[in-house]
Amino acid sequence: MLTLALLLQAAANSPAIVAKSPGEIVAQAPSSDWVDIAADDLLVMQLAYGRRVVIQLMPPPFSQPWIANIRTLAKARWWDGTTVNRVQDNYVVQWGDATEKKPLPAGMIATNENYGVPREFAGLSNRVTKALGPSNNIIQYESFWRGFPLKTWGTPDSASTWPVHCYGMVGVGRNLSPDAGNGAELYTVIGHAPRHLDRNIALVGRVVEGIEHLSSLPRGTGNLGFYEDAKQRVPIASIRLASDLPEGERPRFQFLSTESATFAAYAEARANRRDAFFNVPAGGADICNVPVPVRRRP
Amino acid sequence: MLTLALLLQAAANSPAIVAKSPGEIVAQAPSSDWVDIAADDLLVMQLAYGRRVVIQLMPPPFSQPWIANIRTLAKARWWDGTTVNRVQDNYVVQWGDATEKKPLPAGMIATNENYGVPREFAGLSNRVTKALGPSNNIIQYESFWRGFPLKTWGTPDSASTWPVHCYGMVGVGRNLSPDAGNGAELYTVIGHAPRHLDRNIALVGRVVEGIEHLSSLPRGTGNLGFYEDAKQRVPIASIRLASDLPEGERPRFQFLSTESATFAAYAEARANRRDAFFNVPAGGADICNVPVPVRRRP
């Protein structure tokens, strides 16, 4: 478990390495540091005019009931013909059935408000970016794990871990508690990390390609950024699991292993930019300012 | 100087107040909590099709040489006919003279890399949102001051204060150090706060209205999000100080005093949402997740 302090120490001992930009560090990663994303974990959303958005679903143990529903909905082609209905500046883009009356497919799983998991269950080989504890007997840290940003908080006996709302993360719209959403109504973050949503909504994945097709949509002028005129809604041609597409049409992506030494160096460089443009390294980076690198599989 | 801990304590004693949403708290602010923005501090950018972006320039002591240049450029109508040239997703929109050859007006002031100011100079009536020190004899806190988000860091004798890169903040493009930019090339943040730019670039203001006209522009596909085809650039019809517009055309804005009790309650509610949608208050908020409320003057 590398803390930021340790990373800084390592950096001080390796001046040749730290002058690289984060992008240069990633470009030089050995191929063994790149992790294939399984076709069953990729959700492919087709909008009009060839605009494609690809989402990586989150690995267990997080949000599994919603993710099972999302696979069910994709297999049922339930989203085909639905729309992007809400674009709120510096917040979220949201899509689903604007009528809220479209019948759901069979096999949907009931969900409840388990947005985090016990810390022991979350796996501990994660990369800690900000260790804030223990103080007052509270364990508190942010980390990356299998490509996703997490936060852990609580007493040693009861700490839990949950995914956090960074730019591009995908979550499940819901009504008031105890409703927890079913996965049919989804959104992605297109602004500063709305961390107040953490533990209040199920996060199910993140956009790995094409978020610009959502983030550049015209903002809705209705309450919460909903489009006021139905004609403004953006039609969704289809949403499929990559594994349900013909072999030749499947997008193939890799993410930089968040457990790799390359990722550690990348995160350190994001926290302390020393490449040519920068005069003063920041001394730290918000977890959401360390986006996990993704590439198309070479 | 209110720390977050004190705010939380106050909240615990006032359950009737904290059940309000941040928006409700702001809507109920007395008119005395709203501060007029002087017409000389408002920069009005007109794009095609009536799209207007309004920027509030930062008050002294921050970035004054660049802001003086910006006033000079606006009075010289220097930006008229220039373009938005760069739109990088989750980062910045940048505008200015794409040729980099347009002659500058007389009276431009030389700048240097003074991106922060001594703490004593920054004024101390500010609202602290996150007190992280002192530890190891380092003073460290984030605060709001006259409508802007600031960070203070350093030893008691040498601490300095600087504005921070939140969503919508406007800064000055520059080349490699020691160049510090002159104010002719500007950008605004359209994604997660790029705090690594703090103290590396002059911040000169923030967008108070119309950022959606910039944040929803098509992303550039060139290096750093520059438009590859000159035809993609977005023409700027004019940039003027509101004080140079005819009286009847001047936009008039107010911001919620960041020194007011209403702002304290708003910031507390942003950090601990207890309105109907939320199950679990976050226990804190990043300074950039507490945007300073702005309204048109009633």
mmCIF file of all heavy atoms in Angstrom, chain B residues 270-289:
data_model
loop_
_atom_site.group_PDB
_atom_site.id
_atom_site.type_symbol
_atom_site.label_atom_id
_atom_site.label_comp_id
_atom_site.label_asym_id
_atom_site.label_seq_id
_atom_site.Cartn_x
_atom_site.Cartn_y
_atom_site.Cartn_z
ATOM 1 N N ARG B 270 -24.028 22.291 1.071
ATOM 2 C CA ARG B 270 -23.346 21.614 -0.035
ATOM 3 C C ARG B 270 -22.493 20.465 0.495
ATOM 4 O O ARG B 270 -22.358 19.429 -0.162
ATOM 5 C CB ARG B 270 -22.441 22.589 -0.806
ATOM 6 C CG ARG B 270 -23.152 23.651 -1.616
ATOM 7 C CD ARG B 270 -23.809 23.170 -2.878
ATOM 8 N NE ARG B 270 -22.891 22.580 -3.833
ATOM 9 C CZ ARG B 270 -23.276 22.067 -5.010
ATOM 10 N NH1 ARG B 270 -24.565 22.094 -5.366
ATOM 11 N NH2 ARG B 270 -22.404 21.541 -5.827
ATOM 12 N N ALA B 271 -21.900 20.665 1.657
ATOM 13 C CA ALA B 271 -21.021 19.645 2.228
ATOM 14 C C ALA B 271 -21.810 18.516 2.875
ATOM 15 O O ALA B 271 -21.291 17.407 3.025
ATOM 16 C CB ALA B 271 -20.080 20.279 3.252
ATOM 17 N N ASN B 272 -23.050 18.798 3.241
ATOM 18 C CA ASN B 272 -23.866 17.822 3.975
ATOM 19 C C ASN B 272 -25.301 17.900 3.511
ATOM 20 O O ASN B 272 -26.164 18.450 4.195
ATOM 21 C CB ASN B 272 -23.786 18.081 5.486
ATOM 22 C CG ASN B 272 -22.400 17.795 6.019
ATOM 23 O OD1 ASN B 272 -22.022 16.637 6.167
ATOM 24 N ND2 ASN B 272 -21.638 18.845 6.272
ATOM 25 N N ARG B 273 -25.552 17.319 2.343
ATOM 26 C CA ARG B 273 -26.906 17.389 1.795
ATOM 27 C C ARG B 273 -27.848 16.579 2.670
ATOM 28 O O ARG B 273 -27.628 15.394 2.915
ATOM 29 C CB ARG B 273 -26.915 16.850 0.357
ATOM 30 C CG ARG B 273 -26.044 17.655 -0.605
ATOM 31 C CD ARG B 273 -26.610 19.023 -0.889
ATOM 32 N NE ARG B 273 -27.890 18.988 -1.555
ATOM 33 C CZ ARG B 273 -28.045 19.140 -2.873
ATOM 34 N NH1 ARG B 273 -27.005 19.327 -3.656
ATOM 35 N NH2 ARG B 273 -29.247 19.116 -3.406
ATOM 36 N N ARG B 274 -28.883 17.242 3.145
ATOM 37 C CA ARG B 274 -29.904 16.569 3.931
ATOM 38 C C ARG B 274 -31.292 16.791 3.339
ATOM 39 O O ARG B 274 -32.296 16.467 3.960
ATOM 40 C CB ARG B 274 -29.888 17.073 5.382
ATOM 41 C CG ARG B 274 -28.640 16.700 6.133
ATOM 42 C CD ARG B 274 -28.698 17.159 7.587
ATOM 43 N NE ARG B 274 -27.349 17.258 8.118
ATOM 44 C CZ ARG B 274 -26.541 18.306 7.951
ATOM 45 N NH1 ARG B 274 -26.970 19.368 7.272
ATOM 46 N NH2 ARG B 274 -25.328 18.293 8.452
ATOM 47 N N ASP B 275 -31.341 17.373 2.129
ATOM 48 C CA ASP B 275 -32.643 17.533 1.497
ATOM 49 C C ASP B 275 -33.122 16.169 1.001
ATOM 50 O O ASP B 275 -32.389 15.165 1.052
ATOM 51 C CB ASP B 275 -32.596 18.600 0.400
ATOM 52 C CG ASP B 275 -31.316 18.604 -0.435
ATOM 53 O OD1 ASP B 275 -30.211 18.553 0.134
ATOM 54 O OD2 ASP B 275 -31.431 18.658 -1.667
ATOM 55 N N ALA B 276 -34.366 16.139 0.540
ATOM 56 C CA ALA B 276 -35.093 14.868 0.419
ATOM 57 C C ALA B 276 -34.360 13.772 -0.349
ATOM 58 O O ALA B 276 -34.457 12.597 0.000
ATOM 59 C CB ALA B 276 -36.454 15.130 -0.227
ATOM 60 N N PHE B 277 -33.621 14.113 -1.382
ATOM 61 C CA PHE B 277 -33.033 13.081 -2.233
ATOM 62 C C PHE B 277 -31.928 12.306 -1.533
ATOM 63 O O PHE B 277 -31.637 11.160 -1.891
ATOM 64 C CB PHE B 277 -32.472 13.733 -3.504
ATOM 65 C CG PHE B 277 -31.961 12.760 -4.515
ATOM 66 C CD1 PHE B 277 -32.837 12.099 -5.355
ATOM 67 C CD2 PHE B 277 -30.607 12.483 -4.613
ATOM 68 C CE1 PHE B 277 -32.374 11.186 -6.299
ATOM 69 C CE2 PHE B 277 -30.129 11.575 -5.541
ATOM 70 C CZ PHE B 277 -31.022 10.927 -6.388
ATOM 71 N N PHE B 278 -31.289 12.922 -0.555
ATOM 72 C CA PHE B 278 -30.037 12.383 -0.024
ATOM 73 C C PHE B 278 -30.243 11.522 1.221
ATOM 74 O O PHE B 278 -30.992 11.868 2.126
ATOM 75 C CB PHE B 278 -29.079 13.529 0.287
ATOM 76 C CG PHE B 278 -28.612 14.201 -0.974
ATOM 77 C CD1 PHE B 278 -29.350 15.226 -1.551
ATOM 78 C CD2 PHE B 278 -27.480 13.752 -1.631
ATOM 79 C CE1 PHE B 278 -28.950 15.809 -2.738
ATOM 80 C CE2 PHE B 278 -27.072 14.325 -2.830
ATOM 81 C CZ PHE B 278 -27.817 15.360 -3.378
ATOM 82 N N ASN B 279 -29.540 10.396 1.253
ATOM 83 C CA ASN B 279 -29.577 9.506 2.405
ATOM 84 C C ASN B 279 -28.398 9.741 3.325
ATOM 85 O O ASN B 279 -28.517 9.652 4.537
ATOM 86 C CB ASN B 279 -29.547 8.043 1.944
ATOM 87 C CG ASN B 279 -30.667 7.734 0.973
ATOM 88 O OD1 ASN B 279 -31.717 8.371 1.005
ATOM 89 N ND2 ASN B 279 -30.439 6.755 0.105
ATOM 90 N N VAL B 280 -27.228 9.984 2.742
ATOM 91 C CA VAL B 280 -25.983 10.050 3.500
ATOM 92 C C VAL B 280 -25.276 11.375 3.197
ATOM 93 O O VAL B 280 -24.812 11.583 2.076
ATOM 94 C CB VAL B 280 -25.036 8.893 3.110
ATOM 95 C CG1 VAL B 280 -23.798 8.894 4.006
ATOM 96 C CG2 VAL B 280 -25.762 7.563 3.188
ATOM 97 N N PRO B 281 -25.192 12.281 4.177
ATOM 98 C CA PRO B 281 -24.424 13.510 3.927
ATOM 99 C C PRO B 281 -22.944 13.194 3.775
ATOM 100 O O PRO B 281 -22.419 12.287 4.423
ATOM 101 C CB PRO B 281 -24.702 14.365 5.161
ATOM 102 C CG PRO B 281 -25.129 13.411 6.220
ATOM 103 C CD PRO B 281 -25.750 12.231 5.532
ATOM 104 N N ALA B 282 -22.272 13.944 2.917
ATOM 105 C CA ALA B 282 -20.883 13.608 2.581
ATOM 106 C C ALA B 282 -19.910 13.913 3.708
ATOM 107 O O ALA B 282 -18.856 13.289 3.809
ATOM 108 C CB ALA B 282 -20.458 14.355 1.321
ATOM 109 N N GLY B 283 -20.224 14.917 4.523
ATOM 110 C CA GLY B 283 -19.298 15.269 5.598
ATOM 111 C C GLY B 283 -18.232 16.258 5.166
ATOM 112 O O GLY B 283 -17.339 16.583 5.940
ATOM 113 N N GLY B 284 -18.338 16.755 3.966
ATOM 114 C CA GLY B 284 -17.363 17.733 3.481
ATOM 115 C C GLY B 284 -17.574 17.951 2.005
ATOM 116 O O GLY B 284 -18.233 17.152 1.340
ATOM 117 N N ALA B 285 -17.039 19.051 1.506
ATOM 118 C CA ALA B 285 -17.126 19.322 0.073
ATOM 119 C C ALA B 285 -15.835 19.973 -0.382
ATOM 120 O O ALA B 285 -15.303 20.845 0.289
ATOM 121 C CB ALA B 285 -18.308 20.232 -0.249
ATOM 122 N N ASP B 286 -15.354 19.518 -1.506
ATOM 123 C CA ASP B 286 -14.259 20.173 -2.200
ATOM 124 C C ASP B 286 -14.650 21.636 -2.443
ATOM 125 O O ASP B 286 -15.802 21.934 -2.745
ATOM 126 C CB ASP B 286 -14.095 19.439 -3.533
ATOM 127 C CG ASP B 286 -12.944 19.940 -4.350
ATOM 128 O OD1 ASP B 286 -13.057 21.054 -4.905
ATOM 129 O OD2 ASP B 286 -11.946 19.228 -4.450
ATOM 130 N N ILE B 287 -13.696 22.542 -2.337
ATOM 131 C CA ILE B 287 -14.023 23.963 -2.530
ATOM 132 C C ILE B 287 -14.656 24.192 -3.902
ATOM 133 O O ILE B 287 -15.514 25.063 -4.053
ATOM 134 C CB ILE B 287 -12.761 24.843 -2.327
ATOM 135 C CG1 ILE B 287 -13.159 26.317 -2.233
ATOM 136 C CG2 ILE B 287 -11.710 24.597 -3.399
ATOM 137 C CD1 ILE B 287 -12.035 27.225 -1.757
ATOM 138 N N CYS B 288 -14.266 23.405 -4.885
ATOM 139 C CA CYS B 288 -14.829 23.579 -6.229
ATOM 140 C C CYS B 288 -16.208 22.946 -6.374
ATOM 141 O O CYS B 288 -16.841 23.093 -7.416
ATOM 142 C CB CYS B 288 -13.874 23.035 -7.276
ATOM 143 S SG CYS B 288 -12.336 23.974 -7.401
ATOM 144 N N ASN B 289 -16.657 22.254 -5.349
ATOM 145 C CA ASN B 289 -18.028 21.746 -5.361
ATOM 146 C C ASN B 289 -18.953 22.660 -4.547
ATOM 147 O O ASN B 289 -20.072 22.281 -4.197
ATOM 148 C CB ASN B 289 -18.098 20.301 -4.856
ATOM 149 C CG ASN B 289 -19.301 19.567 -5.418
ATOM 150 O OD1 ASN B 289 -19.919 20.007 -6.386
ATOM 151 N ND2 ASN B 289 -19.659 18.463 -4.800
#
